[in-house]
Amino acid sequence: MKYSLAFILLILTLHPPVLAQDTVDSIAYYQTYPDQLVLRTYMSRKYTGLGLRIEDVHYWYRPNSTLNMGVGATFEGLTLNLAYGFGFLNPDKSRGETKYLDLQAHAYPKDWVIDFFGQFYNGYYLERGSSIEIRNDLRIFPGMKLRKLGASVQYLFNGDKFSYRAAFLQNEWQKISSGSFLAGVEMYGGQVRNAEGILPSEANAINFDQIKYFEIGPNLGYAYSWVFKKHFFITLSAATSLALGRTYLNFEDGHNQSNWSVRPNYFLRGFTGYNSDKWSVNVNYVYNQVNFVPVNDYLINLGTGNYRLNVIYRISPRGGLSKKLDWVSRLKNKLIKK
């Protein structure tokens, strides 16, 4: 079994099992379901793409990642999702083969937003190039390897009225439109390499076979959820940062060059769907772009995305199922040291 076709996502999100309220008006902005088991089936695709711009020439490389089908559950703030890229969902092999392990985790404690990235991709194809002829708009780079490690931690200033969990984990239900500012810090690092050169042979530029990068800095953003007729919602979030970083390029002619500077990155999230006491159907998309420090005329960025279609059903565990889930409550109590 190729490890690129299966993944396990484990998110631990701890929060008090209470109904969020406005302390002045006693209005519930969102409903929590601390004692219910949230069951989901979903389809998703993850990817990390490489963008290059040299003067007026643009290149965009993408992995041939799989469309996955999976199931999952959330209980007491603990979420476990299992998915697999079945062959009938991924019949197109013309883009080459990508082996990958993509460890994206997006956790939403009550007053926090925590994101972790661990990308390990082997095998890319050139999706498009603005100034070269590519047969069928395709060129395969089987030896290209990309690594990205990073994290973003943000404080949610209005966690009593705005819920990310309602949009992403569906263990809450946003009933009244609300928003919140976010602020925090992020850090990213990794490398891209290809022994045969990262640029296509037709490129009119000095080729290079390795990129190394590191960035760290503060970020600031805003999120808002519009609720229509109580059940339908659109949640949008955008954040940007000013990160101090260094980019290193190793050129094929034997020399290397690096540069330090401050660059903006951004983080976008979008969610839309239907929510109720028992059912939820929604589509969500999370996108993170890291812009490298320019080296000469080489502008480079990494775009990491995750889009999903979820169908959710909530149940109240009873009898034997309730007893089997008691260990989750005990684990949570130990972790938050009650």
Side-chain angles (χ1 to χ4, degrees):
M1 179 185 298
K2 291 180 289 185
Y3 65 86
S4 63
L5 299 183
F7 65 88
I8 297 177
L9 173 62
L10 184 63
I11 303 174
L12 183 61
T13 306
L14 302 176
H15 57 89
V18 297
L19 181 69
Q21 292 183 333
D22 185 320
T23 57
V24 177
D25 300 325
S26 297
I27 299 174
Y29 277 76
Y30 59 85
Q31 175 75 47
T32 67
Y33 298 92
D35 300 322
Q36 292 197 1
L37 177 63
V38 181
L39 302 175
R40 69 178 54 83
T41 181
Y42 66 96
M43 298 183 69
S44 73
R45 187 189 296 273
K46 298 180 178 181
Y47 67 89
T48 293
L50 173 69
L52 288 172
R53 191 180 79 181
I54 306 172
E55 295 181 345
D56 295 328
V57 183
H58 299 258
Y59 305 99
W60 180 243
Y61 302 81
R62 290 185 64 112
N64 191 19
S65 57
T66 55
L67 177 62
N68 300 293
M69 179 183 292
V71 295
T74 297
F75 184 72
E76 290 278 359
L78 180 67
T79 295
L80 177 63
N81 292 327
L82 300 172
Y84 187 83
F86 294 97
F88 69 90
L89 294 174
N90 303 276
D92 187 3
K93 303 298 183 181
S94 63
R95 297 184 177 94
E97 182 179 7
T98 298
K99 296 181 179 181
Y100 69 99
L101 178 64
D102 191 315
L103 301 175
Q104 294 184 49
H106 309 285
Y108 302 97
K110 180 176 178 291
D111 296 315
W112 297 91
V113 181
I114 302 172
D115 301 283
F116 170 78
F117 299 94
Q119 270 79 41
F120 306 88
Y121 281 82
N122 299 332
Y124 275 76
Y125 69 94
L126 182 57
E127 184 180 54
R128 60 182 181 269
S130 63
S131 69
I132 60 175
E133 293 294 330
I134 303 174
R135 185 177 179 181
N136 297 325
D137 295 324
L138 189 65
R139 185 174 296 279
I140 298 174
F141 290 74
M144 184 178 292
K145 303 179 185 296
L146 183 148
R147 304 291 183 261
K148 174 186 175 182
L149 294 174
S152 171
V153 179
Q154 296 176 301
Y155 180 75
L156 186 68
F157 288 90
N158 196 22
D160 288 334
K161 296 182 180 180
F162 174 81
S163 171
Y164 266 119
R165 297 183 298 276
F168 190 79
L169 293 176
Q170 298 86 40
N171 62 342
E172 295 181 346
W173 174 12
Q174 185 87 39
K175 294 185 174 182
I176 299 176
S177 300
S178 185
S180 177
F181 283 99
L182 311 102
V185 65
E186 61 186 43
M187 179 173 63
Y188 304 101
Q191 65 174 325
V192 182
R193 66 181 187 274
N194 185 18
E196 298 180 356
I198 293 175
L199 293 176
S201 58
E202 294 87 347
N204 186 23
I206 300 176
N207 210 336
F208 51 94
D209 56 21
Q210 188 176 53
I211 308 168
K212 294 182 180 179
Y213 66 96
F214 175 80
E215 297 187 6
I216 185 171
N219 56 41
L220 179 67
Y222 187 78
Y224 195 87
S225 185
W226 291 269
V227 180
F228 310 95
K229 296 184 178 181
K230 190 178 180 179
H231 295 283
F232 298 92
F233 69 92
I234 298 175
T235 301
L236 299 177
S237 172
T240 187
S241 69
L242 284 177
L244 173 65
R246 176 181 181 266
T247 302
Y248 166 95
L249 299 184
N250 185 62
F251 292 91
E252 287 188 330
D253 63 2
H255 81 281
N256 56 70
Q257 194 166 352
S258 64
N259 190 25
W260 286 85
S261 185
V262 175
R263 293 287 288 168
N265 300 322
Y266 60 86
F267 210 136
L268 305 176
R269 307 170 204 255
F271 315 85
T272 185
Y274 171 89
N275 213 343
S276 68
D277 269 325
K278 290 296 182 181
W279 286 96
S280 177
V281 180
N282 64 80
V283 177
N284 63 65
Y285 182 61
V286 177
Y287 180 78
N288 168 254
Q289 180 160 313
V290 179
N291 296 308
F292 294 0
V293 174
V295 177
N296 290 339
D297 295 325
Y298 296 82
L299 298 178
I300 308 168
N301 67 74
L302 292 184
T304 299
N306 180 7
Y307 51 87
R308 295 176 55 171
L309 169 65
N310 297 286
V311 178
I312 307 296
Y313 186 68
R314 304 185 187 96
I315 64 173
S316 298
R318 297 178 181 177
L321 178 59
S322 178
K323 292 181 180 179
K324 291 180 180 179
L325 291 173
D326 282 344
W327 69 270
V328 179
S329 299
R330 294 194 297 270
L331 175 62
K332 177 180 176 179
N333 291 338
K334 290 180 180 180
L335 290 174
I336 62 179
K337 298 180 180 179
K338 282 189 175 181

